[in-house]
Amino acid sequence: MFEATQNVTLKPTESWREALLDTRVMDLFFTVHRKIREDSDMAQDSLQCLAQLASMHGPIFPDESAQISYLAHMVEGFLSMINGIEIEDSEAVGISNIISNLITMFPRSILTALPSELFTSFINCLTLLTCSFGRSAALEEVLDKDDMVYMEAYDKLLESWLKLVQDEQHFPRGCFVQPAIQVFNSYIQCHLAAPDGTRNLSVNGISSHEEEEINELQEDDRELFSDQLSSIGMQGRVAADHCIPLLTSLLEDRVNRLHGQLQRTQQHLMASTDLESVDRKVLDDLYEDIHWLILVSGYLLADDPQGETPLIPTEVMEFSIKHSTEVDLNTTLQILGSPGEKASSIPGFHRTDSVIRLLSAVLRTSEVESRATRASLTQLLSPQMGKDIVWFLRRWAKTYLLVDEKLYQQISIPLSTAFGVDTEGAQWIVGYLLEKVINNLSVWSSETDLANDTVELLVTLVEKRERANIVVQCESWWSLAKQFASRSPPLHMLSSCVQRSLMKALVLGGFAQMDSDTKQQYWAEVLHPLQQRFLNLINQENFAQISQEEAVKQEIVATLEALCGIAEATQIDNVASLFSFLMDFLSSCIGLMEVYSNTPETINLIIEVFVEVAHKQICYLGEMKSMKLYELCLTLLQVYSKNNQSRKRGDATAEEDQYQDLLLIMELLTNLLSKEFIDFSDTDEVFRNQDQGTPASNRTVSAADVVLYGVNIVLPLMSQDLLKFPSLCNQYYKLITFICEIFPEKIPQLPEDLFKSLMFSLELGMTSMGSEISQLCLEALSPLTEQCAKNQEKDSPLFIATRHFLKLVFDMLVLQKHNTEMTVAAGEALYTLVCLHQVEYSELVETLLSSQRDAIIYQRLADAFNKLTASSTPPTMDRKQKLAFLKSLEEFVANVGGLLCVK
């Protein structure tokens, strides 16, 4: 009934109480596992049973004490099963699932009600298993195994730890400190090179491969292992007294060794200029150690919540406050402000704040890197280390730089003195970070990922007004702005995505606090040259002839990228001026569609400008401004459609070009639709009465017009081959679901062939795509069916189509395997379809029942169907009835779903 990958939890009804709460039943499952654990297939099945028993919840427990005794017996059984055995590879994931379910499904009050010795034994067992699975996972990586069972199990256990320590306040004080130290130490050890660590050592102490091959397509470790790092960072906070000083000393040691190694290599190169003769092994090991130490430090010191103000973690703040009486502030600030010096060379270095000292160790790493670039040793450096440094500094700056004391109940004096508002420390560090950005962009312009991370640090420095106010006082900021605006080297060599982000940063900086003359001068230096160059170019009489020249194309592309960057810089307090500036360009961009109709990459970029403007600005625009944008988007689509019909594309690239075009057009349409449900506009506020006047009744173009015109372009081009591209497929189905939800009344008005295409797409999505797409299609069905019920046209194409969908959804819920997450979407769709086609639904049930030969199954099904619709007879489009139907459906699927599943 369920997809095999799901970890399905057990929620039996009260009728199972006598059977499942009998301790002998659970004992039987543990005994069975002990007997068959040598057989890997059977062992996995028996562990799956135990994992389900570990997840048991719901009405089966009469009260809390029943839950406590069940959990206690489960934990005792689990501990005695684990005790004294050597875990097989095939058991690792199953064991981690049991632990995960126990921690996830049982409330904290039940866990803490366990006898204290039993709870301690459980936590100790979890600690030992986590460290053991972590070592085995590291070994799997070294041996490059295909089936990473220990890695999966380790991830699961670290996730369980994260849930426990996030709820630390519910547990006995300090009960996780020692386990956290062990798990943290074990993780660090697995990621450091010998002799301190065990990285890249195989069972016999021999490295498995001489040189690690790095796959270019592989995700960065900070993304790939983000869940692991979040858990380890959290453990580091729980045991901050141990972990922060440990990270500091390890990082300081590695950086000092790196500095010495680079100096020795420089002397070696003076004698022999042959880079090949340099032994990179020591350097590579140091870089890898520094890589992991910086990642763990970043996750320990700060979170990166999307869209929220990141706060200094409570544990870190308390740690700093607790030790502040032992801290000499002047020495702390001296170490912070001397990244060129070893911390240990500064008198009194022991009496420093450990949190600031850890940041100082990263700044010292940054300084060693910068000095190596100035000494022409860039080829010996690691771009990965460069990325780690700016990633850390960005994450740190968001949380600690200009720390706002009002957001905290208590504040650490060392942290507020070093990084608070109006402090010399904050000004110094902003200047230092800005110099770092400028240095990186000149040295690493060819390393796109590093340049991108560097510019993201710059965006972080200016996206908050308080930080931007300090940034724009730095002379280097102004020279960076002038250099970029004049397209001077090396900034013009940066990749297009980096240039886009750099433009975004420069625009955000322009809204910092400056007097009006300075601000005017700033915009004249940043935006005016962009506008002038663009207008001078496109207004040349011979523009059509010279437009395909490489230099001209580069200028156009650079301008389009800059426009995307300007749109990305939109905030509620700058949208008025940025919208006006961009509108001047958008009409010209449509003209470029004609000129570059045979240059797909330029066409894509033009559409992308519109995508970004719609995405970032539509939610703030009042009615008049929105209409202007709708009109321009409609013109853009009309020109695209005309060019597309006459465009001749080579077969080899046709599909890829089409893919990019369609993806962007659908993104544009989806962004325009978003206005219907995310609208922050307040014309008076944002645009200060610029556009009062035209009443709504005179609207010329609406979002619906643009979107349906766009759908007319997209639908005929959307082939089944194109739907094999996951991102395109996703965007397509997201769009048609939006349209069905927002404008269901427009669907019956579509031309016949388009209507058929849309219905075919919905059927294809429900029956042949993954669960995410299938769910989107089911969500589209309910509003369409409700629309059909309103119209009451029994012969309309939509009425006939919904009748067909009734059978599809019925079969999906009753006869086929499906993901449990789909039950709600499918149930809502089924209910509305049953309301519309009651006779057909009764016929489907009768047909199904009459096909049953087994009398017992027949009766079970008949009773289940009667119970399913008992609360909604006759069914009507009523919310209460629908909710009752969905509740009954959950029971229906649990009781009889498995009986009819087509194997």
Side-chain angles (χ1 to χ4, degrees):
M1 184 65 196
F2 303 111
E3 291 181 356
T5 53
Q6 283 183 275
N7 181 23
V8 182
T9 57
L10 188 62
K11 191 182 179 183
T13 53
E14 290 172 38
S15 57
W16 287 91
R17 200 173 277 170
E18 195 179 337
L20 288 179
L21 294 188
D22 185 336
T23 54
R24 291 171 302 175
V25 173
M26 193 193 297
D27 294 343
L28 175 65
F29 278 100
F30 280 119
T31 307
V32 167
H33 182 70
R34 274 193 288 270
K35 301 278 188 200
I36 54 98
R37 58 184 290 269
E38 305 294 329
D39 180 319
S40 64
D41 290 339
M42 288 177 75
Q44 283 176 11
D45 290 340
S46 74
L47 285 169
Q48 178 66 25
C49 294
L50 286 166
Q52 286 209 295
L53 288 174
S55 73
M56 197 156 80
H57 63 292
I60 188 163
F61 294 115
D63 50 34
E64 274 199 1
S65 66
Q67 218 172 348
I68 293 164
S69 57
Y70 178 86
L71 177 62
H73 199 74
M74 184 85 207
V75 171
E76 282 166 0
F78 175 74
L79 293 175
S80 71
M81 179 184 92
I82 294 288
N83 223 350
I85 64 165
E86 196 168 317
I87 292 169
E88 302 286 337
D89 295 1
S90 56
E91 292 180 298
V93 174
I95 285 171
S96 66
N97 279 334
I98 293 171
I99 292 174
S100 173
N101 284 349
L102 288 173
I103 288 169
T104 306
M105 301 309 299
F106 284 87
R108 300 297 165 246
S109 57
I110 304 297
L111 275 169
T112 51
L114 289 175
S116 62
E117 277 184 28
L118 184 61
F119 179 72
T120 305
S121 299
F122 178 60
I123 294 299
N124 289 343
C125 174
L126 173 54
T127 307
L128 291 171
L129 284 175
T130 308
C131 296
S132 166
F133 286 0
R135 287 190 292 272
S136 300
L139 198 56
E140 277 178 341
E141 272 205 293
V142 173
L143 301 174
D144 213 10
K145 286 194 173 180
D146 291 334
D147 198 9
M148 307 275 278
V149 289
Y150 283 106
M151 187 63 85
E152 188 182 337
Y154 188 49
D155 285 345
K156 202 81 169 159
L157 293 186
L158 285 177
E159 192 186 315
S160 301
W161 274 116
L162 190 57
K163 286 174 184 161
L164 282 177
V165 295
Q166 280 174 336
D167 293 337
E168 194 188 10
Q169 71 275 19
H170 297 289
F171 295 98
R173 190 171 172 79
C175 73
F176 295 137
V177 174
Q178 284 311 312
I181 289 174
Q182 288 183 53
V183 172
F184 189 88
N185 284 353
S186 164
Y187 189 86
I188 295 292
Q189 196 175 28
C190 287
H191 288 84
L192 292 185
D196 294 348
T198 57
R199 189 183 70 237
N200 286 358
L201 294 182
S202 72
V203 193
N204 304 317
I206 305 156
S207 181
S208 68
H209 27 222
E210 283 301 303
E211 206 169 296
E212 215 177 319
E213 284 183 33
I214 294 173
N215 181 352
E216 284 296 314
L217 297 172
Q218 199 175 351
E219 269 186 288
D220 196 291
D221 286 337
R222 66 182 188 229
E223 306 299 334
L224 202 57
F225 297 107
S226 60
D227 291 343
Q228 281 188 14
L229 287 161
S230 295
S231 182
I232 294 299
M234 200 71 188
Q235 309 271 17
R237 293 174 195 174
V238 168
D241 273 296
H242 167 83
C243 300
I244 292 178
L246 174 70
L247 283 174
T248 306
S249 67
L250 287 169
L251 188 53
E252 284 179 350
D253 169 70
R254 295 310 184 276
V255 177
N256 290 338
R257 277 157 56 183
L258 174 65
H259 186 231
Q261 189 64 22
L262 286 170
Q263 282 183 323
R264 283 188 290 280
T265 309
Q266 186 180 25
Q267 286 158 5
H268 169 81
L269 287 173
M270 284 175 180
S272 155
T273 53
D274 180 17
L275 261 176
E276 297 298 315
S277 66
V278 175
D279 178 14
R280 298 242 10 168
K281 176 80 177 76
V282 177
L283 281 173
D284 289 343
D285 275 349
L286 284 170
Y287 289 138
E288 187 71 3
D289 282 6
I290 290 169
H291 166 64
W292 287 107
L293 290 169
I294 289 179
L295 287 188
V296 173
S297 301
Y299 273 88
L300 190 160
L301 288 182
D303 296 311
D304 191 11
Q306 298 305 310
E308 294 176 38
T309 303
L311 296 175
I312 298 172
T314 311
E315 301 87 346
V316 176
M317 184 71 89
E318 285 173 357
F319 167 73
S320 181
I321 290 169
K322 185 170 82 174
H323 293 284
S324 58
T325 53
E326 308 152 20
V327 167
D328 183 307
L329 275 176
N330 288 332
T331 312
T332 300
L333 292 174
Q334 194 181 346
I335 286 183
L336 176 67
S338 317
E341 307 293 324
K342 281 186 193 176
S344 57
S345 68
I346 291 170
F349 69 93
H350 286 304
R351 300 197 60 206
T352 50
D353 179 90
S354 291
V355 178
I356 297 175
R357 180 88 174 266
L358 182 51
L359 165 71
S360 302
V362 179
L363 293 180
R364 166 99 175 118
T365 318
S366 166
E367 188 63 21
V368 167
E369 180 194 49
S370 297
R371 290 184 180 192
T373 62
R374 291 197 286 274
S376 305
L377 296 176
T378 308
Q379 285 173 289
L380 294 175
L381 290 171
S382 157
Q384 179 62 58
M385 183 178 80
K387 282 174 62 179
D388 297 333
I389 291 167
V390 286
W391 166 82
F392 174 93
L393 293 173
R394 176 175 180 240
R395 193 178 175 100
W396 174 87
K398 279 185 172 184
T399 307
Y400 290 81
L401 189 52
L402 302 184
V403 57
D404 184 351
E405 297 184 20
K406 294 194 293 295
L407 299 174
Y408 301 91
Q409 287 180 330
Q410 47 180 358
I411 193 91
S412 150
I413 300 298
L415 295 183
S416 64
T417 307
F419 314 123
V421 182
D422 298 328
T423 59
E424 282 181 31
Q427 288 185 336
W428 175 83
I429 205 157
V430 165
Y432 184 85
L433 295 179
L434 192 54
E435 290 300 334
K436 181 70 187 171
V437 166
I438 291 167
N439 185 56
N440 272 10
L441 291 180
S442 69
V443 174
W444 297 107
S445 56
S446 58
E447 288 285 343
T448 302
D449 288 347
L450 173 47
N452 204 40
D453 281 351
T454 300
V455 176
E456 287 302 324
L457 169 59
L458 187 64
V459 169
T460 295
L461 289 177
V462 289
E463 67 189 351
K464 280 275 189 294
R465 200 58 48 86
E466 300 77 20
R467 295 196 288 259
N469 292 342
I470 301 177
V471 172
V472 296
Q473 290 168 23
C474 301
E475 279 180 38
S476 50
W477 169 261
W478 285 76
S479 60
L480 177 71
K482 285 176 193 168
Q483 201 184 346
F484 183 68
S486 63
R487 303 256 157 87
S488 308
L491 296 183
H492 76 294
M493 290 155 58
L494 294 167
S495 70
S496 53
C497 64
V498 178
Q499 293 206 27
R500 182 185 297 198
S501 295
L502 188 48
M503 189 77 215
K504 174 184 176 180
L506 291 172
V507 170
L508 285 168
F511 290 98
Q513 214 170 340
M514 302 180 230
D515 62 59
S516 56
D517 289 350
T518 313
K519 187 158 280 200
Q520 215 168 344
Q521 181 197 343
Y522 183 81
W523 290 126
E525 289 182 357
V526 173
L527 294 184
H528 187 65
L530 179 80
Q531 207 167 15
Q532 270 322 110
R533 270 201 310 272
F534 182 65
L535 291 174
N536 290 347
L537 189 60
I538 62 170
N539 291 333
Q540 286 183 37
E541 286 178 19
N542 63 343
F543 177 63
Q545 287 82 49
I546 63 167
S547 62
Q548 301 305 320
E549 288 175 13
E550 203 49 45
V552 175
K553 268 161 73 170
Q554 277 179 2
E555 181 64 40
I556 293 292
V557 165
T559 304
L560 294 170
E561 288 287 359
L563 293 176
C564 289
I566 293 168
E568 283 178 19
T570 301
Q571 294 175 338
I572 190 163
D573 52 1
N574 66 22
V575 64
S577 47
L578 291 187
F579 179 77
S580 305
F581 179 81
L582 288 165
M583 287 305 278
D584 294 342
F585 280 90
L586 292 184
S587 305
S588 307
C589 286
I590 294 171
L592 291 177
M593 291 283 284
E594 301 276 11
V595 180
Y596 290 103
S597 58
N598 290 319
T599 315
E601 55 276 16
T602 311
I603 294 292
N604 285 338
L605 201 44
I606 294 167
I607 302 172
E608 205 173 335
V609 173
F610 282 80
V611 169
E612 285 302 330
V613 172
H615 174 51
K616 290 293 184 180
Q617 301 197 336
I618 191 87
C619 61
Y620 300 123
L621 302 182
E623 193 171 319
M624 290 297 298
K625 303 282 186 201
S626 299
M627 217 189 312
K628 278 185 186 171
L629 187 56
Y630 293 150
E631 284 167 4
L632 281 169
C633 289
L634 188 59
T635 313
L636 174 88
L637 292 171
Q638 286 164 343
V639 172
Y640 173 83
S641 180
K642 179 169 73 86
N643 291 345
N644 192 57
Q645 285 159 11
S646 59
R647 198 186 305 180
K648 294 179 175 62
R649 287 168 159 167
D651 287 338
T653 58
E655 196 173 73
E656 197 175 329
D657 293 345
Q658 195 92 73
Y659 159 74
Q660 285 297 343
D661 292 356
L662 289 172
L663 190 58
L664 286 164
I665 287 173
M666 289 192 294
E667 217 177 312
L668 173 62
L669 301 177
T670 308
N671 290 343
L672 294 175
L673 276 178
S674 69
K675 176 73 170 170
E676 299 294 320
F677 51 91
I678 303 174
D679 191 352
F680 301 128
S681 67
D682 179 336
T683 313
D684 294 339
E685 268 304 305
V686 178
F687 287 94
R688 295 188 177 78
N689 303 323
Q690 284 179 26
D691 61 16
Q692 304 301 300
T694 310
S697 56
N698 291 351
R699 281 172 72 162
T700 49
V701 178
S702 69
D705 298 327
V706 185
V707 170
L708 290 169
Y709 186 87
V711 169
N712 284 337
I713 297 172
V714 170
L715 272 174
L717 298 174
M718 192 56 71
S719 65
Q720 277 183 262
D721 280 344
L722 279 172
L723 285 173
K724 286 173 186 166
F725 291 102
S727 51
L728 188 69
C729 183
N730 217 345
Q731 193 73 43
Y732 174 63
Y733 279 105
K734 204 162 44 167
L735 174 66
I736 59 177
T737 301
F738 267 12
I739 292 169
C740 293
E741 287 178 337
I742 296 169
F743 306 123
E745 73 284 356
K746 301 280 185 183
I747 303 300
Q749 298 164 18
L750 289 173
E752 188 184 353
D753 53 341
L754 278 180
F755 177 81
K756 281 181 179 170
S757 286
L758 186 65
M759 294 302 115
F760 175 71
S761 290
L762 286 174
E763 182 172 349
L764 188 71
M766 277 170 55
T767 55
S768 308
M769 303 284 175
S771 56
E772 197 179 333
I773 301 295
S774 190
Q775 193 162 337
L776 283 171
C777 295
L778 289 164
E779 285 166 10
L781 279 183
S782 295
L784 287 183
T785 310
E786 286 170 18
Q787 181 62 36
C788 202
K790 275 184 205 163
N791 291 352
Q792 295 185 333
E793 291 174 16
K794 296 286 168 105
D795 301 323
S796 71
L798 185 57
F799 186 85
I800 295 160
T802 52
R803 195 163 58 206
H804 172 66
F805 282 122
L806 171 67
K807 176 154 176 47
L808 282 182
V809 178
F810 181 86
D811 288 354
M812 177 190 281
L813 273 171
V814 180
L815 299 175
Q816 293 159 11
K817 283 188 179 186
H818 64 277
N819 190 315
T820 45
E821 290 164 9
M822 303 242 304
T823 307
V824 175
E828 289 195 0
L830 181 65
Y831 184 76
T832 50
L833 289 163
V834 169
C835 291
L836 190 61
H837 302 288
Q838 292 176 29
V839 176
E840 286 80 358
Y841 169 72
S842 301
E843 286 171 4
L844 285 172
V845 174
E846 282 306 317
T847 308
L848 181 65
L849 290 173
S850 61
S851 67
Q852 299 307 312
R853 299 282 169 264
D854 185 318
I856 296 172
I857 290 182
Y858 175 91
Q859 197 52 52
R860 266 185 75 182
L861 281 173
D863 292 346
F865 275 116
N866 287 334
K867 203 172 171 190
L868 179 62
T869 49
S871 59
S872 52
T873 309
T876 55
M877 300 277 185
D878 173 76
R879 188 170 175 275
K880 274 188 183 171
Q881 280 197 3
K882 181 165 47 170
L883 290 173
F885 176 83
L886 290 174
K887 197 166 187 304
S888 305
L889 181 67
E890 200 179 314
E891 283 182 34
F892 175 89
V893 171
N895 289 336
V896 300
L899 288 178
L900 300 166
C901 258
V902 179
K903 295 286 183 270

